[in-house]
Amino acid sequence: MSPILMFASLAITSALIIYTIGVFWERADGSLRGAHVILFWLGLACDTTGTTLMSIMARTSAETAPAIHGITGLAAILLMLFHAGWATFVYFQAKHGGEGALERERTFHRLSAAVWAAWLVPYVIGMLVGIPMIKLGTVPAVIASLMVASIAAALAFRPARRA
């Protein structure tokens, strides 16, 4: 495995870990804190770094990734960018007591969970298509990624248990 591929894989997997922690920590807290916002931006930075490196490698490689992977990957980065930006807006508005801030903050976790579940689709497609030991075709990889994201979304959107 080339050093660039290793770094890109590490960056994207770091994005998964960081973003997952941010989303579920924010959900568990029930409110948006500055640490959550930082994790969202860090997750975006890691994903963008890894995706950029993978894109550079794909341009110089004879093997090409399925078009759906590029499309869903770009959509995921744009969603993460919107999510991190909206998190920043909601956080600062709540700090200054803006109108509607409390309601936006209370419902923010639904957006977080939706973006996280959508982000899983290109992550799983890339993993299933890109790992030589798995090497699924495009259609089975897309179906599997949608199944994983659907299960993850069902778990993320289930009502939280209150003590």
Side-chain angles (χ1 to χ4, degrees):
M1 182 183 287
S2 78
I4 294 174
L5 180 58
M6 285 181 8
F7 186 75
S9 298
L10 178 65
I12 290 173
T13 301
S14 295
L16 173 67
I17 294 166
I18 292 166
Y19 210 65
T20 300
I21 290 169
V23 167
F24 286 94
W25 182 20
E26 182 266 326
R27 178 177 168 83
D29 282 354
S31 65
L32 185 61
R33 294 193 288 162
H36 305 138
V37 175
I38 291 168
L39 288 173
F40 299 149
W41 284 107
L42 283 173
L44 174 63
C46 287
D47 191 47
T48 303
T49 299
T51 300
T52 301
L53 290 172
M54 293 274 188
S55 297
I56 291 168
M57 288 176 49
R59 279 188 232 129
T60 61
S61 172
E63 279 188 49
T64 58
I68 191 73
H69 181 55
I71 293 166
T72 58
L74 177 61
I77 287 175
L78 293 174
L79 278 171
M80 288 174 78
L81 178 61
F82 171 76
H83 177 248
W86 186 248
T88 304
F89 172 76
V90 169
Y91 174 74
F92 283 112
Q93 190 180 40
K95 284 292 229 191
H96 298 356
E99 186 177 323
L102 186 58
E103 182 60 26
R104 275 192 281 284
E105 186 179 358
R106 261 193 244 132
T107 61
F108 182 79
H109 68 271
R110 284 186 249 150
L111 173 65
S112 293
V115 171
W116 175 80
W119 185 86
L120 286 177
V121 172
Y123 181 85
V124 173
I125 290 172
M127 187 175 65
L128 295 176
V129 172
I131 295 176
M133 293 186 321
I134 300 173
K135 202 71 170 169
L136 277 183
T138 302
V139 173
V142 169
I143 291 169
S145 70
L146 290 172
M147 289 172 54
V148 167
S150 296
I151 292 167
L155 293 172
F157 283 106
R158 77 174 189 262
R161 289 188 202 161
R162 299 288 178 208

